[in-house]
Amino acid sequence: MARSRRRRVSCHGRRISQQSTRSISITMSQTDYVNGQITNNENPKAEESEESEDDELPILPRQFIPDSELSPQYWFLLKVVKYIKFGSPTATLLALCGLNRYDLTLPMCQQALENSEAVDVLINVLEADDHKCKVAALRVLQNMVKIQHFQRLLVMKSGIATVVKLLSEAEPDVRCLAAGTLAHAVNNHRSRMLTRKAGAVPLLVDLLDIQNAPVVVTTDEFNLKAATKQKIQAATAAAKALRSLSYSSSARRDMYLAGGIPLLTRLTLSVGGVHREYPQATSSSLTHHRAPSVASTTTGQRPSVNVKSRLTSRRAMAASVYSDSELDFELLTAVNGVIHQCAADDIFRASVRADMLLGQLLRHMRYDCETLQTLCASTIAHFAEDETNRRVLTQLKATETIVWVLKQGEYQLQMASNYTIPRSRPEDEQPLELQVQIDRPTSHVEEKQVEKPQVNISLLKAVSTAVWKLSLSPEARDRFRQLGIVRIFIRHLNQSTEEVLLPIVSSISVIGTDPESLALLRTERAVPRFVWLLSGNHPGLLSAAALTMANLTADLDALELLETIDAARLLWSLLKHPSPVVQAGAASAIAAFSERSKRAGEVARSLVGGLELLVSLLRAPELEVVTAAAAAVARMATEDETLAVLSDHHVVTLLASLVRHKNRDLKLRVAEAIAECCRWPGNPAQLGQGGGVKPLIGYLRSSHLDLRRAAAKALHQVSSDRENCFILHHHGAVMLLLKLVGCGDVEIQSAAAGCLSNIRNFIHNA
């Protein structure tokens, strides 16, 4: 990447020679900056379409320290950077090692490094041939790019291309540190674009190939070979960098072309997986990362030790984990992070064996690591969008694992909330030397309540999304009901984040349709919470809350409660929402209210323009909106007063224009609406004039019993008009109706016989 700073004609200082490293210097050219902007000809917005999201880092104000308040440490850092510029290789190495020990998060250190142009210095050091200086410079740069300001400076100074070149070096430690630097630096659109164009993706994919190592990761620290450990460290850094790059769809495509899919799945199955055999010792790897047993989280029994000793022992165990175990677990988390980003692509889901990968993801969810559980749950949610994968997940007992994770989190929160720390002891229990210094005696134990534990929002969102997508399968939905998922989600309805409430409420709307779940929602006082959610602005959350209220109407006590708090008015107000999803959900809930509530028609007529708004939804271009509106019209038209208002708004004319639609659900709802609306005088003739009689005859040939039943009822009401009877007789409806008279459904028999009677009377009298 040719930049003006790289041209030797613009160098104002000594360049680092590639043949000799006797003196290391740096070019202090500032041609890259014009009023703080980049002066290259590349357009950073040229590939905005390649990004999954526009996450360009904002320019945050940094704290400026005046010269009068600068400490001697500031001036010492300037000298250290100066030694790196002009010192010998040994002096440069010592200066880099000293610089690596500073806390770069301090504003004073950041100001010193910026004023001394340390990023330019480190980039030039990386271009030298001195291996030790490269390693030391990469360690410093890796710590610097963790700060947002230095990430932007590295991009402006063309340092991304320099770091990418180091991925092809022969030294493994250089490749590992270069990948780690990219993992922290590639956090916005422009840096990802530059990294991908520099060819970093194939090089990072090559670092993932650790299958040819002589020894895989083991649990014995002494048997872990240094070469294998170094490869695993490089693979971990490469996985972290690929995870940052995978936010770009173009980078994911390059990763697929470079053969990254088989390597990712191989690492998932081998690292902490089925290809690893751990000894049965108590200090085995990943055993310390495992969560408590399922029985301990489901029986509700207290552990034999108190909470304080349990937490203390867990910290001690975490500190005693072998370094190879931590390395193994870090690689596992990084690889799952890449898979989580790639799982959104159809090509990835189609290229892997779902049974093996999903089984391993479910196994990883058993580890006591919330970050890993979140990544695995999000990946499972992506795979659960496909019906075949939902069937595989059900066979792998994913429902039990997901519910176990939720119960484990609740159990730990309950233990932590009941844990108190004694702040002082009674005077008679304290040592003698402390009793002398006490000014006033304490007669009781003062307890300091531990800060109230918080729910892991990311984990709750990921797990609830997986439940939502997986509950689309009838088998998984029934299993979730048996495991009590509705009761668990009711306790999380008090969350204030809409992104978390959306999958929770959506899961309840899909799973909580049985009488036991509806009674549980009523007894746990969750009904007012759903009514309160109708006053929000999130379209998906409004639709899910409306569908849940539609389910609640099946419970008589819950329906009475909804009528008491006047929830139907909120549903009618949602018909004016601009989102089609909200309109469809509100119309479905209104249809359920109209079918089961005795006051539904009265409430609808009391709202000025409510029925007119419902009829206007029949003109909507969205199929789900029209279907829900037709169902609501069919339920509302059962009352004569409401039917009169609907007829004044020419609802039959709109229904006649919908009978030719090919969608079966819409056909069913339109036929039901015609059967109810044609009870009003004048509507059958209006339907015949609109050309809606002939398509209804074709409904009688359907293989679905419910559609034939609705069509027979509609034709029975339509045949009350003389002209419609001639149309039915002319287009062969008599033979179809005669066949329906002999079917086993009583309603179809009655409707078909009534229609034939009307046809016979009008034809005979003609």
Side-chain angles (χ1 to χ4, degrees):
M1 183 177 293
R3 304 290 292 269
S4 58
R5 187 178 59 82
R6 299 302 184 194
R7 298 172 184 171
R8 294 185 179 273
V9 296
S10 62
C11 296
H12 301 291
R14 292 180 296 167
R15 292 281 297 181
I16 298 178
S17 175
Q18 299 294 333
Q19 291 80 16
S20 174
T21 57
R22 294 181 58 185
S23 66
I24 299 180
S25 59
I26 187 169
T27 301
M28 294 300 173
S29 175
Q30 298 295 331
T31 56
D32 277 334
Y33 291 91
V34 176
N35 296 328
Q37 301 294 329
I38 306 175
T39 59
N40 59 348
N41 295 326
E42 297 181 3
N43 185 11
K45 297 184 178 180
E47 296 189 7
E48 280 189 359
S49 59
E50 299 179 356
E51 298 295 327
S52 59
E53 58 182 9
D54 188 10
D55 54 349
E56 193 72 30
L57 290 177
I59 301 178
L60 301 178
R62 297 198 308 109
Q63 180 180 358
F64 176 76
I65 304 176
D67 295 342
S68 59
E69 299 180 4
L70 294 175
S71 64
Q73 188 179 11
Y74 171 84
W75 307 106
F76 183 76
L77 281 175
L78 295 181
K79 291 182 180 180
V80 171
V81 178
K82 184 178 180 181
Y83 293 151
I84 300 176
K85 293 180 186 178
F86 304 106
S88 62
T90 304
T92 300
L93 181 60
L94 293 176
L96 288 171
C97 294
L99 184 60
N100 196 29
R101 300 180 60 182
Y102 279 88
D103 185 9
L104 301 183
T105 59
L106 299 177
M108 184 191 61
C109 295
Q110 298 178 19
Q111 185 171 338
L113 293 176
E114 182 181 2
N115 294 340
S116 61
E117 299 181 354
V119 176
D120 285 290
V121 175
L122 294 175
I123 292 175
N124 282 269
V125 171
L126 295 178
E127 295 176 350
D129 288 337
D130 193 289
H131 172 67
K132 295 182 179 179
C133 291
K134 281 184 180 180
V135 173
L138 280 174
R139 293 185 184 276
V140 176
L141 188 61
Q142 187 175 0
N143 293 330
M144 290 179 62
V145 295
K146 294 178 182 178
I147 304 171
Q148 180 183 4
H149 180 69
F150 291 112
Q151 293 175 9
R152 303 183 68 92
L153 284 180
L154 184 66
V155 175
M156 294 182 191
K157 301 290 185 178
S158 302
I160 295 292
T162 304
V163 177
V164 171
K165 291 180 181 178
L166 299 179
L167 293 174
S168 58
E169 293 286 336
E171 294 80 5
D173 51 353
V174 175
R175 297 199 302 266
C176 179
L177 291 172
T181 303
L182 290 176
H184 295 291
V186 184
N187 285 327
N188 56 80
H189 163 70
R190 179 167 176 79
S191 60
R192 282 195 287 268
M193 180 185 65
L194 295 177
T195 305
R196 186 183 61 83
K197 287 186 175 182
V201 176
L203 298 175
L204 292 172
V205 171
D206 291 339
L207 293 179
L208 295 177
D209 190 6
I210 60 175
Q211 189 69 18
N212 297 326
V215 179
V216 297
V217 183
T218 64
T219 59
D220 191 356
E221 183 181 22
F222 303 98
N223 294 335
L224 187 64
K225 292 188 176 180
T228 306
K229 184 176 181 179
Q230 204 168 45
K231 282 191 175 183
I232 295 173
Q233 290 177 343
T236 303
K240 292 181 179 179
L242 287 175
R243 180 182 178 182
S244 301
L245 285 170
S246 59
Y247 285 96
S248 170
S249 58
S250 299
R252 293 198 300 270
R253 183 176 61 250
D254 294 345
M255 183 167 55
Y256 301 152
L257 295 176
I261 294 179
L263 291 177
L264 290 173
T265 53
R266 184 191 304 171
L267 285 175
T268 307
L269 296 174
S270 60
V271 180
V274 295
H275 298 308
R276 190 81 47 75
E277 292 186 1
Y278 297 98
Q280 299 299 326
T282 56
S283 60
S284 61
S285 173
L286 291 184
T287 302
H288 304 298
H289 296 288
R290 294 187 183 275
S293 62
V294 183
S296 63
T297 60
T298 56
T299 58
Q301 298 178 356
R302 293 287 182 178
S304 57
V305 296
N306 56 23
V307 180
K308 181 177 180 181
S309 61
R310 182 185 179 93
L311 296 177
T312 305
S313 62
R314 291 187 65 179
R315 295 192 190 100
M317 286 192 299
S320 64
V321 176
Y322 289 141
S323 58
D324 56 313
S325 171
E326 293 293 341
L327 181 61
D328 188 6
F329 206 67
E330 187 178 3
L331 176 59
L332 188 63
T333 305
V335 170
N336 278 277
V338 182
I339 293 177
H340 162 61
Q341 296 294 335
C342 298
D345 297 336
D346 296 336
I347 183 175
F348 179 82
R349 297 196 299 269
S351 302
V352 299
R353 286 192 57 183
D355 53 348
M356 296 183 61
L357 180 60
L358 293 176
Q360 198 64 12
L361 291 176
L362 292 173
R363 183 177 184 270
H364 294 165
M365 289 186 68
R366 295 282 181 174
Y367 296 155
D368 189 15
C369 177
E370 293 183 347
T371 302
L372 184 59
Q373 289 175 345
T374 303
L375 294 174
C376 294
S378 301
T379 306
I380 289 174
H382 286 301
F383 274 91
E385 294 178 356
D386 182 68
E387 183 179 359
T388 305
N389 293 331
R390 287 197 295 267
R391 191 180 306 110
V392 173
L393 286 168
T394 305
Q395 295 174 357
L396 294 174
K397 297 183 179 181
T399 53
E400 285 80 355
T401 303
I402 291 174
V403 174
W404 176 82
V405 172
L406 291 171
K407 289 184 177 180
Q408 177 213 17
E410 289 188 344
Y411 183 69
Q412 292 181 352
L413 286 175
Q414 183 181 4
M415 291 196 317
S417 60
N418 297 333
Y419 171 49
T420 56
I421 301 177
R423 187 167 55 186
S424 61
R425 296 187 299 175
E427 181 182 0
D428 54 355
E429 296 182 4
Q430 293 184 358
L432 181 60
E433 60 273 13
L434 293 181
Q435 295 183 22
V436 177
Q437 300 177 4
I438 292 179
D439 296 335
R440 57 181 181 87
T442 57
S443 58
H444 62 280
V445 178
E446 297 181 4
E447 293 185 350
K448 180 181 178 180
Q449 189 72 21
V450 177
E451 183 180 356
K452 185 178 181 180
Q454 300 294 330
V455 179
N456 191 329
I457 300 298
S458 301
L459 178 59
L460 180 59
K461 177 184 176 182
V463 174
S464 57
T465 304
V467 173
W468 177 21
K469 300 299 179 61
L470 193 57
S471 61
L472 299 178
S473 172
E475 295 82 4
R477 187 161 57 243
D478 295 338
R479 186 55 182 157
F480 276 131
R481 290 169 184 164
Q482 297 174 4
L483 295 174
I485 193 69
V486 177
R487 184 182 296 274
I488 297 175
F489 279 158
I490 288 175
R491 291 193 283 266
H492 293 289
L493 286 177
N494 56 352
Q495 297 293 330
S496 59
T497 309
E498 293 181 344
E499 287 74 12
V500 180
L501 284 174
L502 174 60
I504 292 177
V505 179
S506 300
S507 301
I508 294 177
S509 65
V510 177
I511 301 174
T513 56
D514 58 305
E516 292 78 8
S517 300
L518 296 177
L520 184 62
L521 290 173
R522 173 177 48 81
T523 56
E524 294 292 335
R525 301 179 180 179
V527 177
R529 177 63 177 174
F530 288 108
V531 177
W532 180 83
L533 291 175
L534 294 178
S535 59
N537 296 320
H538 195 282
L541 190 57
L542 290 173
S543 176
L547 293 177
T548 305
M549 294 181 61
N551 297 332
L552 287 171
T553 57
D555 186 84
L556 297 180
D557 295 333
L559 178 60
E560 183 179 357
L561 179 59
L562 290 174
E563 292 176 348
T564 303
I565 58 182
D566 206 5
R569 294 182 180 272
L570 289 175
L571 293 174
W572 280 96
S573 64
L574 293 180
L575 295 179
K576 299 184 295 184
H577 198 278
S579 175
V581 178
V582 179
Q583 293 176 351
S588 301
I590 291 173
F593 263 94
S594 303
E595 183 180 3
R596 301 183 178 100
S597 177
K598 298 179 180 179
R599 298 179 59 249
E602 179 183 352
V603 173
R605 293 189 299 271
S606 64
L607 298 174
V608 179
L611 293 174
E612 181 181 2
L613 180 60
L614 179 62
V615 173
S616 65
L617 292 181
L618 295 175
R619 303 186 182 93
E622 293 81 10
L623 177 63
E624 61 274 7
V625 177
V626 178
T627 304
V633 169
R635 303 299 183 271
M636 297 293 298
T638 55
E639 294 187 7
D640 294 341
E641 296 181 3
T642 307
L643 178 57
V645 179
L646 291 174
S647 301
D648 292 340
H649 295 298
H650 307 286
V651 65
V652 176
T653 303
L654 295 176
L655 292 175
S657 63
L658 297 174
V659 293
R660 294 178 176 85
H661 207 280
K662 301 300 182 181
N663 184 266
R664 189 185 71 86
D665 293 335
L666 181 57
K667 286 181 178 179
L668 176 62
R669 303 308 177 188
V670 170
E672 292 176 350
I674 290 175
E676 296 295 338
C677 293
C678 286
R679 294 186 300 107
W680 192 257
N683 284 347
Q686 190 176 359
L687 181 69
Q689 295 172 3
V693 177
K694 181 181 177 181
L696 283 176
I697 301 175
Y699 290 9
L700 300 177
R701 300 184 179 93
S702 176
S703 59
H704 299 280
L705 181 63
D706 52 353
L707 183 56
R708 294 200 304 270
R709 182 187 302 111
K713 291 181 179 180
L715 291 178
H716 182 204
Q717 300 297 332
V718 167
S719 61
S720 60
D721 181 74
R722 180 177 181 178
E723 297 297 331
N724 292 338
C725 289
F726 285 107
I727 296 175
L728 292 174
H729 185 271
H730 179 71
H731 291 88
V734 175
M735 297 303 299
L736 296 175
L737 291 171
L738 287 174
K739 292 181 180 180
L740 293 180
V741 172
C743 71
D745 190 278
V746 179
E747 295 183 2
I748 296 180
Q749 290 178 352
S750 176
C755 184
L756 288 173
S757 176
N758 292 336
I759 295 175
R760 179 181 179 279
N761 292 334
F762 282 111
I763 297 298
H764 179 72
N765 296 331

